[in-house]
Amino acid sequence: MKAEDEQAFREFVTSQMGSLRKLAYMTCGDWHAAEDAVANALVKLYPRWRKLERPDLYAKTMVYRAAIDETRRPWRRERSAGDAMPEVALRDPAGMADERLRLKAALAAVPARQRAAVILRHYLGLSLEDTAGVLNCNVGTAKSQASRGLAKLRELLGAERIKLTGEPMEEWTNAVA
């Protein structure tokens, strides 16, 4: 690979790493598995870098699929020592930790494809066409998956407690951090 292509790839990874990690985490629900998924996707992306028209969309597709693959690995079915440890919030006067835990639990209860559609559309702010491209389906399917995912979240969280609209949800950034 040429030096300028390598530099462009590094800049891309630097600028996109945060959103790719969040997509992977929200897809699989585990930060360690999300890190592995992003790393695996970027390793596969590197040789194809020069040929891509939309590397951002391609990377999101690869990360989504890698995160799903991470949850299918047999070692993930075992309980880790961290599962027995309670999640304790350190100094959270606003009660946001409880809300983050509620949101995390609700997202985990949404079926994987619907969860991915909601994340792509409303958390990452992708268009319907881009969401359909990442999910490898038609636009109508992506739209219905996102709609059903939002409906499931509303049911689980209660519509009066959290705003679930068609707008990108900036407050989700704090909910999964």
Side-chain angles (χ1 to χ4, degrees), residues 61 64-65 112-113 116-117 120 130-137 141-142 145:
T61 302
Y64 164 69
R65 291 179 181 165
R113 194 160 171 90
L120 292 167
D130 290 346
T131 300
V134 170
L135 296 176
N136 195 26
C137 63
T141 302
Q145 290 293 306

Side-chain angles (χ1 to χ4, degrees), residues 5-127:
D5 289 337
E6 201 167 297
Q7 183 61 30
F9 182 76
R10 285 185 183 152
E11 290 171 6
F12 170 79
V13 170
T14 302
S15 68
Q16 295 292 314
M17 183 59 89
S19 68
L20 294 175
R21 284 182 65 233
K22 287 176 185 175
L23 171 62
Y25 172 74
M26 294 181 81
T27 303
C28 68
D30 180 329
W31 279 114
H32 299 292
E35 289 283 342
D36 292 343
V38 171
N40 290 337
L42 291 175
V43 165
K44 292 177 184 176
L45 177 68
Y46 181 75
R48 299 177 177 106
W49 177 251
R50 292 186 312 209
K51 302 172 189 166
L52 299 175
E53 279 183 43
R54 299 261 330 257
D56 58 330
L57 187 58
Y58 191 76
K60 286 180 175 89
T61 302
M62 292 179 76
V63 166
Y64 164 69
R65 291 179 181 165
I68 294 294
D69 289 345
E70 283 296 320
T71 62
R72 293 179 181 154
R73 293 187 190 273
W75 61 268
R76 293 265 308 132
R77 293 189 189 114
E78 298 175 11
R79 288 182 55 112
S80 69
D83 290 342
M85 302 293 288
E87 291 189 31
V88 178
L90 302 175
R91 293 187 213 183
D92 187 19
M96 287 304 296
D98 291 339
E99 208 47 39
R100 283 193 296 270
L101 293 173
R102 250 180 99 238
L103 184 57
K104 181 180 174 183
L107 279 170
V110 174
R113 194 160 171 90
Q114 292 175 9
R115 180 174 57 238
V118 169
I119 292 165
L120 292 167
R121 279 289 289 145
H122 303 288
Y123 179 66
L124 296 178
L126 294 183
S127 68

